Amino acid sequence: MCRDLAKQHADNPDVPAAPDGADGYAEWVQIALILYRVELEKSLRETEDYLNEMPGILAVFDLDEAPNYSSFCRWEQEYRMRELRRLLRRSAEQAGWSGEAAIDASGFQRDQTSYHYRDRANYSFQSMKTTILIDVNSLAIKDVHYTTQKAWDGHIGMQVFRRNAEDLRVLSADANYSWGELREECRSESTRPLIKHREQTPLQKAHNARMNEDYNQRWMSETGFSQLKEDDGEKLRSRSWHGQFRELTRKCIIHNLTQAAS
């Protein structure tokens, strides 16, 4: 599935896997292998050794031997968030996107980040706030948002919604996203906002009671986070913030492919 997704994304999917021999690899091979490394949950050197011991897996990628571990490192740095977001959206469509989505946030541990970088970037948060837009039926993740700073959920929700408004019929969110402007933005795009109100008045309590039956599916977003964090997945290996963004996005793509295969 990593290979097929990469070929769908690449401009020239029919290019041989290694057209220039061991020194050059096709775009689709690079994408497929950096995604497959997430599935393996191995270090760069371990991935190279594992692939060389598995000729059947190498054959899936039309390779005779594994690329050097330094190639994996270079490829993971080269593929920017814009391209990974496109892959994420395509993988969500493969997993099944119904348009009934929930938005939620959780933290991922940043223990690997260097103290020098933390001082230079002027932040002290040990976890990275991660917001996902997830289909409540298929658990497909369509979009992600990351921040290392204090940011209000309502503003994040607005940004995520605007990127995906055309593909949303229902948007569910808890009271942290309670913002009149976000609700109005949803309605203007023909999206039903199932966003809990902060229960400060009897009217707000009545609004929440009316949406309870449909709102219950929002908890599927927590299931999505629990799957992402399985097997010690809560800790990030990348040391820079942009590397951590890409690392988590690749995890989300593999999550979608797993949902599509199940």
Side-chain angles (χ1 to χ4, degrees), residues 30 41 97 108 111 133 143 156 161 178 217 237:
Q30 298 177 25
E41 296 183 346
W97 183 257
F108 283 78
D111 296 341
L133 182 69
D143 199 1
I156 295 175
F161 173 76
S178 181
Q217 285 186 299
R237 293 184 177 182

Side-chain angles (χ1 to χ4, degrees), residues 30 33 53 61 87 103 126 141 155 161 168 174 180 182-183 211 217 228 256:
Q30 298 177 25
L33 288 178
E53 293 174 359
F61 302 107
L87 281 165
I103 188 170
Q126 292 292 334
I141 298 173
H155 290 161
F161 173 76
L168 289 173
D174 61 26
L182 177 55
R183 292 189 180 90
M211 71 173 71
Q217 285 186 299
L228 285 175
N256 286 346

Side-chain angles (χ1 to χ4, degrees), residues 12-242:
N12 298 304
D14 297 326
V15 173
D20 301 323
D23 295 328
Y25 295 87
E27 178 189 13
W28 66 266
V29 171
Q30 298 177 25
I31 295 172
L33 288 178
I34 64 175
L35 292 179
Y36 187 61
R37 191 173 86 85
V38 178
E39 174 70 16
L40 294 178
E41 296 183 346
K42 297 182 180 294
S43 68
L44 297 171
R45 292 178 184 271
E46 288 173 343
T47 299
E48 179 187 356
D49 293 340
Y50 176 86
L51 290 175
N52 281 326
E53 293 174 359
M54 297 291 179
I57 294 179
L58 283 175
V60 172
F61 302 107
D62 297 332
L63 295 173
D64 295 325
E65 62 179 358
N68 187 271
Y69 72 91
S70 61
S71 297
F72 287 95
C73 181
R74 186 177 70 255
W75 298 341
E76 290 179 358
Q77 294 174 355
E78 287 177 351
Y79 284 97
R80 305 297 182 183
M81 275 299 298
R82 178 177 296 181
E83 196 154 10
L84 290 175
R85 285 188 187 279
R86 288 172 53 201
L87 281 165
L88 179 62
R89 288 192 291 271
R90 190 182 292 272
S91 66
E93 292 168 359
Q94 292 188 8
W97 183 257
S98 69
E100 297 181 12
I103 188 170
D104 202 4
S106 184
F108 283 78
Q109 297 303 313
R110 314 180 68 201
D111 296 341
Q112 298 295 325
T113 308
S114 69
Y115 286 101
H116 171 71
Y117 174 79
R118 287 172 53 192
D119 292 339
R120 188 178 62 183
N122 192 28
Y123 75 81
S124 59
F125 295 104
Q126 292 292 334
S127 63
M128 181 171 65
K129 184 176 181 178
T130 303
T131 303
I132 62 173
L133 182 69
I134 186 169
D135 192 284
V136 296
N137 297 308
S138 66
L139 292 183
I141 298 173
K142 186 74 174 284
D143 199 1
V144 287
H145 179 281
Y146 309 110
T147 181
T148 60
Q149 307 294 331
K150 290 183 178 180
W152 183 42
D153 288 334
H155 290 161
I156 295 175
M158 180 73 84
Q159 182 177 343
V160 172
F161 173 76
R162 285 175 173 170
R163 283 202 298 256
N164 301 275
E166 294 182 357
D167 301 319
L168 289 173
R169 294 189 294 109
V170 179
L171 179 65
S172 303
D174 61 26
N176 290 326
Y177 297 87
S178 181
W179 186 24
E181 291 187 25
L182 177 55
R183 292 189 180 90
E184 289 302 317
E185 186 83 8
C186 289
R187 295 187 183 101
S188 68
E189 298 291 342
S190 300
T191 300
R192 182 188 178 192
L194 285 177
I195 303 173
K196 283 285 189 176
H197 294 262
R198 297 184 184 277
E199 296 188 346
Q200 298 172 336
T201 67
L203 181 59
Q204 291 171 332
K205 293 180 180 180
H207 282 313
N208 287 346
R210 263 202 315 270
M211 71 173 71
N212 275 344
E213 183 176 351
D214 296 328
Y215 177 80
N216 287 337
Q217 285 186 299
R218 190 205 70 84
W219 297 106
M220 297 301 289
S221 60
E222 297 184 3
T223 303
F225 272 122
S226 66
Q227 291 179 353
L228 285 175
K229 294 182 178 184
E230 283 179 355
D231 301 324
D232 202 31
E234 186 174 353
K235 294 184 179 180
L236 301 172
R237 293 184 177 182
S238 301
R239 298 175 69 86
S240 65
W241 60 268
H242 49 82

